[in-house]
Each structure stands twice: as structure tokens, then as C-alpha cells.
Amino acid sequence: MTARAGDRARYDRATAHLDAPLAIVDLDAFDANADDLRRRAGGKPIRVASKSVRCRALLERVLAKDGFQGVMSFTLAESLWLARSGFDDVLLAYPSADRAGFAELAADPKLAGAVTVMVDDVAQLDLIDAARDGGREVVRVCLELDTSLRLLGGRVRIGARRSPLHSPARLAELARSVARRPGFRLVGIMAYEGHVAGVGDAVAGRPLRSRAIRLMQAAARRELAERRAAVVRAVRAVAPGLEFVNGGGTGSVQHTAAEDAVTEIAAGSGLYVPRLFDNYTSFTGRPAALFAQPVVRRPGVGVVTVLGGGYPASGAAGPDRLPVPHLPEGLAYDPQEGPGEVQTPLLGPPADDLLIGDKVWFRHAKAGELCERFDVLHLIEGDAVTATVPTYRGEGHTFL
């Protein structure tokens, strides 16, 4: 029996009393992935990206481990909810226009002390001030550095279109604006190198493309390490009390941790290890989060149909944004249909061994987005469900 076949047997035994559709997290794999992230971080604390987890119980589990400290959130409403729930170090990774949320933040000492907001433009400070509604609490601020690699005088750009702040001078200029402004305190810098951390460098069947990606990423890491160090020096000259410099992502943990200027690493997807993280030379994780769909039809030889399953991930549309049938091994989509909202035909020899009601296990393309489809996660240890915990959705929250 292969390792994957063994996993299938465990998951089927553990969930035999449960009807699909359902979602699980294999805690043995989850904990092993957390240990690997900590090892790669080389002693620097890891801030957990909540977008990639979206389950309070699992955020609490990983933050209880050595080497993990703080949450990186994705909306202001989520940040405030987490802070009210007892999370005392929440960095909002994206700028917000949530005026009601800012009014709440500025009026509550506990929230203002726990939540740090992201800015990359003076206009965002203006919006926060206009939203205060009499609230006088000091708002903690983090500046975001644009990490994109720019070549040929800026005519070629590689990396996500995030912050407009690319140079040390631009960061220092905004830092001075924050320092001069009553009601704000600059406490951090964030730089997410998505073109390194979020792009696999070992694309199956594409050796030339994989080599090109590795060359690009090596150049990007060198350029960013020099520029990030210069940015930190420039900003610390304005705000010597800077508390943290955040960088990284699951795919670049060990590289970013090696930079002296970086004080903490961001990671989250590496806990669940969705399919987009299969193509890396720098690490190998264990798939921990899966979902199961039930077989509801047997249209013919070598074909079964499962209920639903069409859960595409965000990003540029393409086959890599689709879930993949994982267990049993050897199933594939019908290229004429793909995964559908209400039914998904699957082709391959294993289909003939599946009966009506059997489970087919899938991996999502991205990590936390799976939790937008399910109210609960069944936590598996060995071959038993040991707990069932709500996702954000199960607690009544869909923040985006």
C-alpha cells in the first residue's frame, strides 16, 4: 500500500460515520508542516497568515507552538474580531476603507493596542482620521514596501502590484508623515515577496520554465535583500522605535529569515499545503487540508460523478486554480466538463472500484479559501476524528 493509499484508508475510516461533502485537517500533517516552517525560519518568529487558515481553533493551535507569534489578518473587520477574541498581536496585511471599523478601533484601547493597520499612502491616514468619530486612541501603523523586481529601467516588472512605495526614500517620506501626525505611531514595515514565496520553481514537465523561475527568484532575492536593508535603515532613522520588519511567505521562509534586516516571517499556506505548493525545490510539505465529495452516479465504465466540487481559487483563471482529485489516486477531470458547481465527472480506472456513497478526496488549489465552502473542519488524528471545529464561515463570518 502506498502512503497515499494509506492516507485514504485512514480518512475513510475516520469519517465513515459522516456524510460528504465534508472537509478535514489531518493534525499529524498540520503539526509536521508547522515544525518544518519553524525549522526553516531559523529562530525568527513566524506570524501566521490567517487568510490561509480561516479557523480560530487552528490559529490557536499553531500559535501555542514555539516559534509562532502573532497573526497577519486580511480585513479590518476580521482583525477587530480576532482582537476581541483574545488575539493580542494582529497585523492587518492590506489597507482598508472600513470607516466603521476604524471608528471602533480608535475608540477602544484594547483593540488599538492589539491591531496594527497597513498604509502606503497619506490618503489612507486621512481616511482613518476622518473616520475616528471622536475616538482618540493612537492607531498603530505599518508601512508596506513594494517588493517587485524592476528591470530595464522599470520597463519590466516582476511581482504583485501592491504598495506604490518602492525606494527607501519613498518609505522614509511616508514614515515622516506618520511621525508628524498626532494619533498615529509607526511600529512596523512589511514586505511580501510573492514572486518568490508564492511561485513554485519546479513546474512538473517544464524544466526550462522551472530554471527560468529559479534564476528570476535568485535575482529577486539578491535585489530585495539589499533594498530592504536600506529601507529599514532609512525608516529607523525616522522611527527608531520600530518594533518589527515582516517579510517572506511559505515558499521563501528560509531565504527571508537569513536577512539581518528582517525580524519576523509571515507564513500560513505551509500549514495546510494546498496543491499550489507542490512545485518547490526548497521544501516539501504534507497535504493537511482536504475535502471529500460523495459518488452519486456511475455513468459508465471508468467514470463516476461526484456531487459538486467546483471550488476554483482566486487569481488568474487557469487549470492551476482548480482543486485536484487526490484520493483514490488515478482520477482526473473530464476535459469537457471539469469540476462543476453541482456535479463533477471523474475519469480513470479507479472509478470502477467506487460505489455510490463512497468518498473522493480533493485538494484545493489555495489554503484558506477551502474554508469559505465549509462550516466546519473535522480534525483527524491517526484514523479518528478527534474534534470538529468551526471555520470563519461556521462562526458566521465571511470577511471577503
Side-chain angles (χ1 to χ4, degrees):
M1 180 183 290
T2 67
R4 280 175 62 176
D7 285 341
R8 181 195 175 198
R10 287 195 301 116
Y11 301 153
D12 283 346
R13 285 196 299 270
T15 63
H17 62 296
L18 299 170
D19 289 333
L22 59 83
I24 65 165
V25 170
D26 182 335
L27 290 181
D28 296 332
F30 181 90
D31 290 341
N33 293 334
D35 290 343
D36 185 64
L37 287 170
R38 180 178 58 198
R39 176 190 61 79
R40 291 197 287 134
K44 290 188 176 178
I46 298 171
R47 185 179 292 274
V48 183
S50 64
K51 181 173 74 70
S52 301
V53 179
R54 302 194 205 196
C55 171
R56 279 200 301 166
L58 290 174
L59 287 173
E60 290 166 354
R61 183 183 184 92
V62 71
L63 287 171
K65 296 177 180 292
D66 291 340
F68 292 84
Q69 178 180 308
V71 173
M72 177 177 282
S73 59
F74 59 98
T75 74
L76 182 55
E78 180 213 11
S79 306
L80 301 178
W81 176 65
L82 289 174
R84 288 193 297 268
S85 301
F87 294 83
D88 60 4
D89 181 5
V90 182
L91 170 62
L92 174 57
Y94 304 88
S96 175
D98 180 354
R99 292 177 174 83
F102 283 126
E104 186 177 354
L105 178 69
D108 188 315
K110 177 184 176 181
L111 298 180
V115 175
T116 301
V117 304
M118 192 67 60
V119 301
D120 56 35
D121 193 309
V122 171
Q124 295 155 354
L125 301 175
D126 293 339
L127 186 147
I128 295 170
D129 266 339
R132 284 179 181 271
D133 194 27
R136 297 180 180 274
E137 295 299 323
V138 173
V139 175
R140 294 166 53 85
V141 168
C142 178
L143 307 183
E144 181 170 3
L145 166 67
D146 169 34
T147 65
S148 65
L149 176 64
R150 299 184 181 182
L151 305 171
L152 301 177
R155 293 190 295 276
V156 175
R157 174 197 177 106
I158 302 172
R161 296 184 183 276
R162 293 175 63 108
S163 169
L165 307 175
H166 190 77
S167 67
R170 291 289 306 279
L171 270 291
E173 179 184 3
L174 185 54
R176 286 189 288 271
S177 295
V178 175
R180 290 193 297 263
R181 195 156 185 151
F184 294 91
R185 182 165 74 252
L186 177 57
V187 299
I189 298 171
M190 187 192 86
Y192 171 57
E193 52 268 35
H195 51 302
V196 178
V199 178
D201 62 352
V203 184
R206 304 287 297 277
L208 294 179
R209 177 175 173 81
S210 298
R211 177 167 173 75
I213 291 172
R214 288 194 290 273
L215 291 172
M216 176 276 291
Q217 290 179 338
R221 288 196 300 268
R222 288 193 298 269
E223 186 276 336
L224 179 58
E226 294 178 5
R227 183 159 51 90
R228 181 154 39 200
V231 163
V232 172
R233 289 193 297 269
V235 173
R236 284 197 186 278
V238 177
L242 206 64
E243 297 174 14
F244 64 85
V245 177
N246 181 281
T250 288
S252 66
V253 170
Q254 67 272 32
H255 301 296
T256 308
E259 295 182 33
D260 291 337
V262 174
T263 66
E264 63 175 40
I265 309 300
S269 295
L271 296 168
Y272 287 171
V273 186
R275 65 164 294 200
L276 283 179
F277 285 86
D278 286 349
N279 302 318
Y280 285 78
T281 58
S282 60
F283 78 102
T284 301
R286 292 173 55 185
L290 300 96
F291 66 94
Q293 304 297 115
V295 174
V296 292
R297 284 178 170 160
R298 292 171 52 85
V301 176
V303 185
V304 291
T305 301
V306 299
L307 181 70
Y311 305 156
S314 60
D320 65 332
R321 300 291 140 166
L322 300 178
V324 289
H326 184 59
L327 302 170
E329 299 178 67
L331 292 173
Y333 294 126
D334 181 338
Q336 301 302 313
E337 294 195 45
E341 179 185 16
V342 290
Q343 73 161 36
T344 297
L346 297 169
L347 313 180
D352 293 330
D353 296 324
L354 291 169
L355 304 176
I356 300 296
D358 283 352
K359 297 180 176 77
V360 175
W361 297 90
F362 293 78
R363 295 173 64 201
H364 203 279
K366 285 194 171 181
E369 292 182 19
L370 170 64
C371 295
E372 298 299 327
R373 299 287 183 167
F374 293 92
D375 291 341
V376 299
L377 299 172
H378 301 285
L379 307 184
I380 291 180
E381 296 181 79
D383 60 358
V385 172
T386 56
T388 298
V389 296
T391 59
Y392 280 12
R393 168 178 160 166
E395 296 201 65
H397 296 287
T398 51
F399 292 108
L400 274 179

